[in-house]
């Protein structure tokens, strides 16, 4: 519960800081850059913690290599899921024609 509350306050605060001092035309870009950095930081953190957490089970493996391997496996799995979703959407679109 504390993590959710902290993220709620933190994300709003970061968004405010990201768009303060920019023009209205650049506010969308600033907000998008902030959100992309937020997502990249979160995914890098999760990858690092999962890799470090799995190191004892990999018997002497380097934490960086373990986390990199797990990140590649996760990206490949996400790619397969995205491909299957797009394939299903294409089949559905063809049947509706």
């Amino acid at each position: 519960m504390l993590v959710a509350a902290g993220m709620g306050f933190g994300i709003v605060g970061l968004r405010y800081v990201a768009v303060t001092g920019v023009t209205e035309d650049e506010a969308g870009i600033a907000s998008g850059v902030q959100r992309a950095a937020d997502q990249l930081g979160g995914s890098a953190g999760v990858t690092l913690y999962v890799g470090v957490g799995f190191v004892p089970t990999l018997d002497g493996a380097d934490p960086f290599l373990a986390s990199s391997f797990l990140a590649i496996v996760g990206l490949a799995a996400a790619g397969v899921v995205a491909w299957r979703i797009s394939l299903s959407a294409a089949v559905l679109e063809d049947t509706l024609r």
Side-chain angles (χ1 to χ4, degrees), residues 8-97:
F9 287 116
I11 289 173
V12 171
L14 287 173
R15 182 72 45 96
Y16 176 75
V17 170
V19 297
T20 300
V22 297
T23 65
E24 287 184 24
D25 294 337
E26 296 172 340
I29 295 170
S31 177
V33 168
Q34 183 275 324
R35 189 68 183 143
D38 180 41
Q39 292 294 315
L40 183 61
S43 62
V46 168
T47 301
L48 177 68
Y49 285 127
V50 168
V52 170
F54 273 101
V55 165
T57 63
L58 297 175
D59 193 29
D62 182 24
F64 176 76
L65 292 176
S67 62
S68 297
F69 172 74
L70 291 171
I72 291 168
V73 168
L75 286 172
V80 168
V81 168
W83 174 72
R84 291 289 298 162
I85 289 171
S86 67
L87 181 65
S88 298
V91 169
L92 180 63
E93 186 178 302
D94 286 343
T95 59
L96 292 176
R97 287 184 193 182

